[in-house]
Amino acid sequence: MQSGALDTLKGTGRRRVTIDPITRLEGHGKIDIFLDEKGEVERAYYQIPELRGFEIFSLGRPAEEMPQITSRICGVCPTAHHMAATKALDDLYHVDPPPTAKKIRQLIYNAFMLEDHALHVYILGGPDFIVGPDAPKEMRNVAGVIEKVGVETGKKVIAMRKRLRELITHLGGKIIHPVFGLPGGVAKGLTADEIPALRELADESIEFAKFTLGVFKNIVLANEKYVSLITSEEFTHRTYSMGLVDANNRVNFYDGMVRVTAPDGKEFAKFAPSKYLDVIAEHVEPWSYVKFPYLKQVGWNGFADGAGSGIYSVAPLARLNASDGMATPEAQKAYEELVATLGGKPVHHTLANHWARVIEMLQAAETLRELADDPLLTGKEIRTLPTEKPTVGVGIVEAPRGTLIHHYETDERGLITKANLIVATQNNAGRIAMSVDKAAKGLIHGGIVNDGLLNKIEMAFRAYDPCNACSTHSLPGQMPITLRLRNGAGEILREIGR
Amino acid sequence: MPDRQPQPLLLALGNTLMGDDGVALLAARALQRRYRERIDINESPIAGFALLDLLSGYRRALIIDASSTGKAPPGTIREFHREDFTPDVSASPHYAGLPDILALGSQLGIPLPGEIRILGMEIEDTGMIREGLGRAAAGSFPEFLRRAGEILDDWITRV
């Protein structure tokens, strides 16, 4: 936005606050907050980058390359893209993988979800909740988290993450370049002698997830101040929720039907991945490159809550809302506690995403154990060879950040003629924009903007774990923020940098 | 954990599907033939906490990367120092930076390089998926190789 928006402010007496990533994420995840003459927030905008050129890049390439290409595009969650692309190829070639292949895919995918969620809970959510939203900024980092939870816990987190990554690498090839997914199956099976170590890791994973739930309860839920922040109106939106569910309407990360529940919790839609275009449409705003997805049947009615607005949410909390519960026993218990504590289902408090994430860790760990005990996991039949001509394929998985959609069309030789991705953060874009706007309006008054307030506004989008996928690495590394307070002429009155 | 390699590490970060963003990876590939016997060369499209896995066990590491600070024209090569990075709350753990990794390593007793040098080239960040370098990055590429080679040569002579 920017210079143009500044010009329109001239002579109006209004001011603009910019929360602006100044590193290689320039232009990515930028927040602009416009203040009126009294220092009240008129409107806050959160801009998410859109990956451009994907369709052009894909045209004419063999469809079989897509699991490798898409996993290379995203440096954040290559396993999710690899899996969604692989499932799209199943659909494209009209082939159903054998049960063993599906179980191996689920094993890899649940290990990935667990590892990714653990990283988020301790490293991203940690500074906000474990250290505390009002802690001095020099403490709101990894070092502060370790100081609070203890070195032994820190070592436990790092060790568990390492072992899960080794498992994923062993089964699926390098995490950064997964190669296990093939249309109709997987490239490599498991043998019986690998199962004991897998069981051991699964048991340790369950203990680790339970331990993490304990950390969350002891530090976050035991603190009334944190709980009131979670349930505060500034961090609440009553939107539709979307997520994959299994045949019993339980949360599933890898497969199933897509279910949408209304703000009152009732089922609104349930559809097969191939029907996604019947349900989802996209809206364009002049201030953002992102196309905001919304529910076609409800329609686009602006950035608004409620049943009359087609905006929906994805990610852990939305998955819990869109389901009838968790698929494993311990996770189900934890889910029931969340629902009871936060006033019943559905839960619309954005910051409860952190709690939902821990519950999903538990489901992922328990699923690992169930799979390790399943004799089908070591079956010999790991691929159904495609025999039909390729046409259209849609693959949907639940990425850590929410519903991820891959859609390919090819000619009869299997060369791509159309490709479309809707990534999780895009599905969440409408709600994230609303969250940032609401938090800014609730927290900034009389032109007073300080580091603590800035952090709380950032918390509104960090809870979603936004993935600005095309920025893959780290020089200088973190996402420093500068906040600029400007007068109507665009002059900087004050600058807060980190 | 003992040193897994006595050799220094050249770690290239970036993504060759994102145009200039892949400049460091292309540089690492160009430096392979000259240094592969004496330097461990690794590429990664992922940073964040992956840095912990990639750096642990080494005594010396040269990280080469693209930068997009907007403070210099594309093609500008700059050496960053530890002081350029301050630990902070990141928007995502995937963007966790070097200071977080170094702080974590120090707290948890994970052996990380005592000497880390970081060379970055300012890039034109178009947000477009494409292969190959833009004009400015391509023009500075030989100098990028030279600067990286200078650091590696110095380390080799000191081993």
Side-chain angles (χ1 to χ4, degrees):
Chain A
M1 152 140 321
Q2 302 28 297
S3 54
L6 266 179
D7 289 342
T8 63
L9 291 177
K10 280 179 184 170
T12 65
R14 289 184 296 155
R15 296 181 294 174
R16 181 175 74 162
V17 176
T18 304
I19 299 176
D20 183 8
I22 56 167
T23 66
R24 58 166 302 98
L25 299 173
E26 179 70 33
H28 299 176
K30 178 189 272 189
I31 296 176
D32 275 318
I33 303 171
F34 289 82
L35 304 183
D36 64 17
E37 291 174 10
K38 294 176 182 167
E40 299 297 304
V41 175
E42 275 191 351
R43 179 74 203 268
Y45 296 92
Y46 174 52
Q47 298 188 52
I48 312 170
E50 189 187 34
L51 206 57
R52 289 177 293 133
F54 172 71
E55 177 149 14
I56 291 169
F57 186 84
S58 305
L59 291 180
R61 292 178 185 269
E64 289 93 336
E65 289 182 6
M66 298 314 280
Q68 273 65 49
I69 288 174
T70 53
S71 63
R72 281 176 64 204
I73 284 171
C74 176
V76 172
C77 47
T79 308
H81 279 284
H82 184 77
M83 194 66 87
T86 300
K87 287 182 67 191
L89 293 189
D90 293 342
D91 191 33
L92 182 83
Y93 284 97
H94 318 289
V95 63
D96 189 30
T100 296
K102 288 181 182 172
K103 289 186 186 296
I104 292 170
R105 288 183 185 179
Q106 288 186 59
L107 181 73
I108 295 169
Y109 204 68
N110 278 277
F112 158 69
M113 289 291 281
L114 177 54
E115 183 260 331
D116 196 284
H117 272 6
L119 189 63
H120 184 108
V121 167
Y122 284 98
I123 308 304
L124 183 83
D128 281 345
F129 282 109
I130 294 174
V131 179
D134 295 320
K137 65 177 180 182
E138 57 273 16
M139 286 299 294
R140 284 201 309 268
N141 51 42
V142 177
V145 174
I146 300 295
E147 197 165 299
K148 194 83 183 268
V149 299
V151 169
E152 288 312 309
T153 300
K155 285 183 176 172
K156 194 182 278 195
V157 174
I158 297 299
M160 181 51 63
R161 174 181 169 276
K162 186 165 184 280
R163 292 188 62 194
L164 288 167
R165 287 173 79 87
E166 283 168 357
L167 173 70
I168 298 167
T169 302
H170 174 69
L171 296 174
K174 277 188 175 180
I175 285 182
I176 52 174
H177 296 302
V179 292
F180 61 88
L182 300 170
V186 291
K188 194 174 85 168
L190 263 82
T191 57
D193 58 356
E194 292 172 288
I195 297 302
L198 181 60
R199 278 201 190 109
E200 191 184 326
L201 177 58
D203 286 341
E204 287 176 30
S205 298
I206 292 171
E207 289 311 307
F208 175 68
K210 285 182 179 171
F211 170 82
T212 305
L213 195 58
V215 169
F216 192 82
K217 282 184 188 173
N218 293 336
I219 296 179
V220 181
L221 300 180
N223 186 327
E224 280 181 25
K225 207 172 157 193
Y226 291 176
V227 175
S228 66
L229 189 67
I230 291 172
T231 54
S232 66
E233 196 54 32
E234 281 90 354
F235 294 103
T236 299
H237 286 292
R238 291 161 188 86
T239 61
Y240 289 83
S241 303
M242 179 183 286
L244 277 179
V245 292
D246 66 14
N248 299 314
N249 282 343
R250 303 283 162 171
V251 170
N252 195 300
F253 305 130
Y254 164 74
D255 206 8
M257 300 280 275
V258 183
R259 192 174 189 226
V260 181
T261 52
D264 64 4
K266 290 179 184 150
E267 181 176 297
F268 172 78
K270 192 174 173 183
F271 58 94
S274 59
K275 303 290 182 194
Y276 84 100
L277 287 174
D278 294 344
V279 180
I280 298 170
E282 293 176 319
H283 168 80
V284 176
E285 284 281 309
W287 49 271
S288 175
Y289 287 120
V290 169
K291 294 174 200 145
F292 293 88
Y294 65 95
L295 299 169
K296 217 179 229 182
Q297 203 181 322
V298 182
W300 177 266
N301 291 304
F303 293 93
D305 284 46
S309 167
I311 287 178
Y312 59 89
S313 64
V314 298
L317 185 63
R319 281 192 281 262
L320 268 55
N321 283 336
S323 70
D324 288 344
M326 309 307 289
T328 57
E330 293 296 326
Q332 175 64 19
K333 277 188 213 164
Y335 161 90
E336 286 167 9
E337 188 179 359
L338 175 146
V339 171
T341 307
L342 296 179
K345 204 180 160 192
V347 175
H348 291 299
H349 308 304
T350 304
L351 298 179
N353 263 302
H354 295 289
W355 192 354
R357 199 168 278 117
V358 183
I359 295 168
E360 288 195 335
M361 281 175 65
L362 195 47
Q363 171 162 323
E366 289 183 284
T367 305
L368 289 184
R369 177 67 211 211
E370 285 177 4
L371 288 165
D373 286 340
D374 190 330
L376 274 174
L377 190 68
T378 50
K380 299 293 174 215
E381 198 183 331
I382 57 171
R383 192 171 182 207
T384 307
L385 286 173
T387 54
E388 292 184 36
K389 281 183 184 170
T391 51
V392 178
V394 177
I396 297 185
V397 295
E398 285 297 326
R401 289 144 207 88
T403 312
L404 168 65
I405 303 169
H406 280 221
H407 171 184
Y408 311 132
E409 295 182 15
T410 67
D411 62 17
E412 60 180 27
R413 296 168 298 167
L415 302 179
I416 299 282
T417 55
K418 179 182 176 181
N420 185 36
L421 299 187
I422 301 182
V423 301
T425 299
Q426 189 186 346
N427 276 314
N428 256 340
R431 186 169 156 132
I432 296 175
M434 285 162 60
S435 291
V436 169
D437 185 53
K438 193 169 189 176
K441 283 176 177 161
L443 293 163
I444 294 178
H445 297 289
I448 297 171
V449 183
N450 55 41
D451 186 73
L453 291 176
L454 169 61
N455 186 53
K456 282 183 183 159
I457 293 165
E458 288 178 52
M459 281 171 67
F461 71 83
R462 278 206 297 271
Y464 298 93
D465 190 3
C467 170
N468 300 336
C470 49
S471 292
T472 56
H473 55 285
S474 78
L475 196 59
Q478 64 279 62
M479 193 174 176
I481 301 290
T482 56
L483 180 148
R484 296 189 190 104
L485 198 62
R486 297 174 188 267
N487 63 17
E491 296 161 344
I492 295 175
L493 301 174
R494 190 152 58 93
E495 184 166 307
I496 300 171
R498 299 184 174 196
Chain B
M1 188 191 298
D3 283 351
R4 68 182 171 201
Q5 292 290 341
Q7 301 196 131
L9 170 70
L10 170 63
L11 176 60
L13 302 176
N15 186 342
T16 52
L17 291 185
M18 294 298 296
D20 284 0
D21 191 72
V23 66
L25 273 59
L26 298 176
R29 290 168 199 172
L31 293 167
Q32 271 278 352
R33 180 178 289 184
R34 186 168 155 202
Y35 291 102
R36 66 183 166 204
E37 301 297 328
R38 291 164 295 174
I39 302 282
D40 279 1
I41 300 177
N42 206 346
E43 304 181 353
S44 175
I46 307 178
F49 272 78
L51 284 175
L52 197 65
D53 305 324
L54 297 167
L55 292 173
S56 71
Y58 286 97
R59 287 179 180 165
R60 290 189 181 122
L62 169 61
I63 299 174
I64 55 175
D65 197 352
S67 67
S68 182
T69 65
K71 292 178 178 174
T76 305
I77 297 165
R78 181 184 162 195
E79 182 162 0
F80 291 84
H81 302 279
R82 285 192 186 198
E83 310 80 70
D84 294 325
F85 310 93
T86 52
D88 200 354
V89 180
S90 164
S92 162
H94 313 290
Y95 302 123
L98 200 57
D100 296 309
I101 302 303
L102 297 177
L104 193 62
S106 165
Q107 279 179 307
L108 302 183
I110 299 167
L112 294 173
E115 184 175 2
I116 296 180
R117 298 189 60 179
I118 305 144
L119 202 59
M121 185 197 289
E122 189 75 8
I123 60 165
E124 190 183 357
D125 194 355
T126 60
M128 289 290 289
I129 296 174
R130 60 177 171 84
E131 289 179 300
L133 300 178
R135 185 177 293 180
S140 297
F141 191 70
E143 175 64 9
F144 197 47
L145 295 181
R146 192 194 66 74
R147 294 273 298 270
E150 205 172 71
I151 293 168
L152 298 177
D153 286 339
D154 177 50
W155 283 349
I156 289 167
T157 56
R158 280 203 271 150
V159 165

